[in-house]
Amino acid sequence: MKIIVCIKQVPDTNEVRIDPIKGTLIREGVPSIINPDDLCGLEAALALKDAHGFHITALSMGPPQADVALREALAMGCDAAFLVSDRAFGGADTWATSKTLAGAIQKLGFDLIITGRQAIDGDTAQVGPQIAEHLGIPQATYAHNVEKVCGENAFVVERLFEDCRQKVKVKAPCLITAISGAGAPRYMTVAGIVAAYDEKTVDMLTFEDLKGFVDEGDIGLKGSPTQVRKSYPKAAKGQGIVHEVSEDEAVEIIVNKLKEGGLI
Amino acid sequence: MNFNLSKKHLLLQELFRRFAEKEVKPLAAWVDEAEEFPYETVKKLGAAGFLGIAFPKEYGGGGADNLAYALCVEELSKACATTGVIVSAHSSLCAAPIFEAGTEEQKQKYLPKLLSGEWLGAFGLTEAGAGTDAGMQQTKAVLDGDNYILNGTKIFITNADAAHVYIITAMTDKTKGTRGLSAFIVEKDFPGFSIGKIEKKMGIRGSLTCELIMENCVVPKENLLGSEGQGFKVAMQTLDGGRIGIAAQALGIAQGAIDATVEYVRERKQFGKRISQFQNTQFELADMQTKADAARLLTYRAACMKDERQRYGSQAAMAKLFASEAASDITRRCLQLHGGYGYIREYAIERMMRDAKITEIYEGTSEVQKMVISAGMKVN
């Protein structure tokens, strides 16, 4: 069985600042990381590999610097890595991104696609579900746990919501969007990093490579129906009020506040 | 000459940093305070491949190099010097001599278990009357049929009670002095082998420094490491490599102290100002970082020379001499910048200052390093 895990390299949002004049993200000096939900997707895929020996391909779309995110995926235990990268893909919104990734996935072939639920830089949670729609395959979002059904070409996915859990069975080929699971994402290993640089490769996929799988009208800025007009930092919240009171009094104050606001 | 780490080394450094931050730093105060060996951390170190970094994959190692190994010990020691020396003693003092001086059978038997972390390693050279004067060893090994019978006591052995396998030096021919010394691979459960007193130390308090006692200890003769009489050479070569590890440990302690102090001086206010605003603070830290960087360059140079199979003994001694003295100096000055809080155990800096001192002593005192360096210079 072949699993493709989509990962995105994102700026570590703990370190990000916004240029107050241009309104754009200041990327210089900000460390890049694999999007946290995507790391959960990698862990889910690698756990399936541990149990069943599946072949795992890590796939990313981004500038050439995203190479390091894919090396990290290889160092965690992925078998192959592809970077979809071309100036023609630049400026893509979620539609153009999902169209491009769907094309690459079709070219590579798959039984299961795992993406993270959402990226911490855009927070849309759209790309995973859109890929499934473009490919016409079933999807199970918010996956907390994924298990292969014995003797069937299907997976049981435990979906985690704020107030409940849901178990669904999904037939392959399908797409799953992952959230943090029971086990924390594994560390890379020393031998894994050595293999990622000395033995394995990150293969580039350009627009030329994806011709026949994605249309020119669906890529990059031109293929993007949404355009960002302005980015700006959220206004700071007002000063909080500190009550130095006992626990019981604190509960009363909070309950009264919630009642005042009509929330309870 | 290129002073940049390769992409591969940068990713390795990132792995070591993340691991140290998440798995090692939160336990550092407990390891020190309770004098507890971090067994759980060591299991995780093994799983991530930190106990076999610079050894070939065919023996279960990471297939990386000594530069990567130095980066690892540095990053771990920034967070916890005890954890740093556990890795250093295991790798440099036990796995390395087996890899460098062992027979193929010895390598096949011991390296996979050591490099995966299933077994931990240690090294026994020092005795009560033979520290720097390593030729004065009293431990004896006598060949009796298919076995050597070892008798003697080793002291100050890092990892001792946690380890499963030891490189032990013993006299096979006392009349030949250092040329009568031989090295053996000794397993913990060999008959006649036991662990003695666990030392109470000033620093690196979780590293289980113990006596090793051999009373008619039966060691199969195939566990002789190298040939009879080569023990001193094996030990000296082992310590050359070990000095890269201790230099990296000292460097990590120094950098960890500077990082903690920068954080502290940005917060702490006196006379209505953050103390980072005082020029004395800025100049002190600038001076310390310069020293730490010099120690880093010396350490990485020695590691790279070992990787390139050049003679690196003098360079490893210089790295160890400079980095250990820098660590002691830097931690003391960092504590001073913390003022009274620095003397309180709630802050890591007092632990770092206690941990730093041993780096000037073990695996060759600073004075021994100067002997090695001056001999390399052919001064006399």
Side-chain angles (χ1 to χ4, degrees):
Chain A
M1 224 176 212
K2 194 172 170 187
I3 304 178
I4 293 182
V5 186
C6 296
I7 63 171
K8 184 181 187 185
Q9 188 186 44
V10 294
D12 189 343
T13 48
N14 294 323
E15 313 273 341
V16 156
R17 285 170 301 131
I18 290 181
D19 185 322
I21 298 159
K22 290 185 200 157
T24 52
L25 297 176
I26 303 172
R27 291 226 173 200
E28 283 95 57
V30 178
S32 292
I33 55 171
I34 295 180
N35 179 51
D37 279 350
D38 302 351
L39 272 180
C40 299
L42 279 170
E43 180 54 41
L46 291 167
L48 287 168
K49 180 183 172 176
D50 292 342
H52 306 283
F54 298 154
H55 183 277
I56 316 287
T57 298
L59 176 68
S60 187
M61 176 168 154
Q65 302 90 280
D67 178 88
V68 67
L70 288 163
R71 301 279 174 187
E72 196 176 326
L74 290 170
M76 287 171 74
C78 290
D79 301 289
F82 290 88
L83 177 61
V84 178
S85 191
D86 197 314
R87 282 189 179 277
F89 299 139
D93 67 357
T94 63
W95 173 269
T97 301
S98 59
K99 273 281 185 187
T100 309
L101 284 171
I105 289 166
Q106 252 184 326
K107 183 183 165 86
L108 297 172
F110 68 97
D111 297 289
L112 171 65
I113 304 161
I114 302 181
T115 71
R117 170 189 49 182
Q118 66 195 61
I120 54 171
D121 56 350
D123 268 336
T124 68
Q126 291 168 359
V127 170
Q130 285 176 1
I131 291 171
E133 288 301 309
H134 297 319
L135 295 173
I137 56 170
Q139 58 178 293
T141 51
Y142 307 111
H144 170 69
N145 190 35
V146 184
E147 274 168 34
K148 167 86 173 47
V149 180
C150 191
E152 279 183 67
N153 210 13
F155 296 91
V156 168
V157 179
E158 188 182 335
R159 306 177 69 207
L160 194 64
F161 299 95
E162 275 180 18
D163 56 347
C164 68
R165 288 164 192 250
Q166 182 188 52
K167 267 192 181 179
V168 294
K169 187 165 136 185
V170 205
K171 278 189 187 161
C174 59
L175 180 142
I176 289 166
T177 77
I179 58 172
S180 67
R186 65 194 61 193
Y187 286 103
M188 297 176 272
T189 62
V190 171
I193 293 174
V194 171
Y197 278 98
D198 297 350
E199 294 156 28
K200 296 176 182 175
T201 56
V202 171
D203 294 315
M204 293 277 262
L205 292 173
T206 61
F207 179 52
E208 190 62 31
D209 297 317
L210 295 184
K211 274 191 176 155
F213 295 94
V214 57
D215 294 333
E216 199 167 353
D218 282 328
I219 63 164
L221 199 59
K222 281 183 192 163
S224 297
T226 48
Q227 318 250 313
V228 177
R229 287 178 61 186
K230 193 181 171 193
S231 301
Y232 48 93
K234 278 190 211 165
K237 281 185 183 171
Q239 191 82 37
I241 307 165
V242 178
H243 297 276
E244 293 201 6
V245 293
S246 71
E247 281 174 24
D248 289 345
E249 285 170 290
V251 169
E252 203 179 315
I253 292 168
I254 293 167
V255 169
N256 286 338
K257 280 278 167 202
L258 291 171
K259 278 183 182 162
E260 271 173 39
L263 294 166
I264 53 171
Chain B
M1 194 173 272
N2 180 352
F3 292 100
N4 297 316
L5 293 176
S6 69
K7 285 182 176 176
K8 180 170 70 179
H9 286 99
L10 284 170
L11 193 58
L12 285 161
Q13 186 183 47
E14 179 66 27
L15 167 64
F16 303 142
R17 209 167 265 174
R18 283 185 205 165
F19 185 97
E21 197 64 31
K22 201 164 162 221
E23 311 289 345
V24 179
K25 200 173 181 180
L27 296 179
W30 168 78
V31 163
D32 176 65
E33 193 70 34
E35 305 191 38
E36 285 284 346
F37 187 87
Y39 285 99
E40 286 303 311
T41 311
V42 170
K43 267 191 210 163
K44 291 178 189 172
L45 289 166
F50 292 15
L51 296 174
I53 294 170
F55 300 90
K57 288 188 176 181
E58 57 177 304
Y59 297 113
D65 52 18
N66 287 284
L67 178 58
Y69 163 64
L71 292 169
C72 177
V73 176
E74 177 188 352
E75 291 302 326
L76 295 175
S77 302
K78 270 192 205 174
C80 170
T82 289
T83 308
V85 78
I86 291 168
V87 172
S88 181
H90 164 89
S91 310
S92 283
L93 302 187
C94 184
I98 294 175
F99 176 65
E100 280 160 21
T103 62
E104 192 52 38
E105 288 72 25
Q106 288 169 339
K107 292 184 203 180
Q108 295 288 355
K109 183 171 179 192
Y110 291 104
L111 289 178
K113 280 186 175 143
L114 285 168
L115 305 184
S116 66
E118 186 185 337
W119 279 8
L120 199 66
F123 174 76
L125 172 77
T126 302
E127 296 181 7
T132 296
D133 189 3
M136 286 307 288
Q137 298 191 32
Q138 301 299 316
T139 300
K140 276 186 279 190
V142 179
L143 188 61
D144 177 19
D146 288 339
N147 300 302
Y148 282 95
I149 307 299
L150 270 61
N151 276 290
T153 300
K154 300 289 179 180
I155 61 163
F156 303 158
I157 307 308
T158 304
N159 284 351
D161 198 24
H164 306 78
V165 57
Y166 306 79
I167 305 302
I168 300 286
T169 53
M171 284 289 179
T172 40
D173 187 348
K174 190 120 180 76
T175 60
K176 290 186 181 165
T178 54
R179 289 187 182 171
L181 203 62
S182 302
F184 299 88
I185 306 170
V186 178
E187 293 180 31
K188 195 176 205 171
D189 55 7
F190 280 175
F193 184 88
S194 61
I195 304 292
K197 184 173 81 167
I198 300 178
E199 302 291 351
K200 297 286 228 180
K201 305 193 295 293
M202 169 181 171
I204 55 160
R205 298 182 1 155
S207 68
L208 276 179
T209 306
C210 314
E211 281 180 334
L212 304 179
I213 300 165
M214 286 148 290
E215 287 172 312
N216 294 322
C217 176
V218 183
V219 179
K221 73 175 181 191
E222 63 266 24
N223 276 31
L224 176 69
L225 185 61
S227 49
E228 266 194 29
Q230 277 196 328
F232 192 73
K233 191 177 151 206
V234 168
M236 292 304 113
Q237 282 175 351
T238 299
L239 289 171
D240 280 345
R243 283 164 194 153
I244 295 172
I246 301 307
Q249 186 204 18
L251 166 62
I253 296 170
Q255 191 62 58
I258 293 172
D259 294 349
T261 305
V262 168
E263 214 170 284
Y264 181 81
V265 300
R266 282 176 180 160
E267 300 284 330
R268 173 73 172 161
K269 282 186 181 159
Q270 289 287 276
F271 301 102
K273 283 182 182 175
R274 287 175 285 111
I275 59 173
S276 61
Q277 291 172 289
F278 292 102
Q279 197 176 51
N280 177 59
T281 309
Q282 296 162 6
F283 281 15
E284 275 290 277
L285 283 161
D287 195 41
M288 290 189 251
Q289 189 59 60
T290 305
K291 269 195 167 184
D293 269 29
R296 180 170 286 113
L297 292 176
L298 284 171
T299 305
Y300 292 2
R301 177 182 72 165
C304 290
M305 286 177 76
K306 183 164 197 248
D307 287 330
E308 285 161 14
R309 299 182 186 282
Q310 298 180 44
R311 290 173 70 93
Y312 68 95
S314 292
Q315 287 73 19
M318 287 181 202
K320 201 261 187 192
L321 171 67
F322 189 83
S324 62
E325 296 194 343
S328 278
D329 181 48
I330 288 169
T331 51
R332 184 183 53 77
R333 288 158 73 182
C334 283
L335 195 150
Q336 189 68 18
L337 285 175
H338 278 68
Y341 286 109
Y343 200 67
I344 305 294
R345 287 202 191 171
E346 194 182 331
Y347 287 83
I349 193 67
E350 69 84 30
R351 184 188 78 236
M352 293 171 171
M353 183 175 158
R354 285 185 287 108
D355 287 346
K357 183 62 201 173
I358 190 60
T359 63
E360 294 177 85
I361 298 169
Y362 61 12
E363 300 196 32
T365 58
S366 286
E367 293 71 22
V368 165
Q369 310 311 322
K370 289 175 193 174
M371 284 160 62
V372 172
I373 297 160
S374 59
M377 293 163 71
K378 300 191 172 34
V379 173
N380 182 17

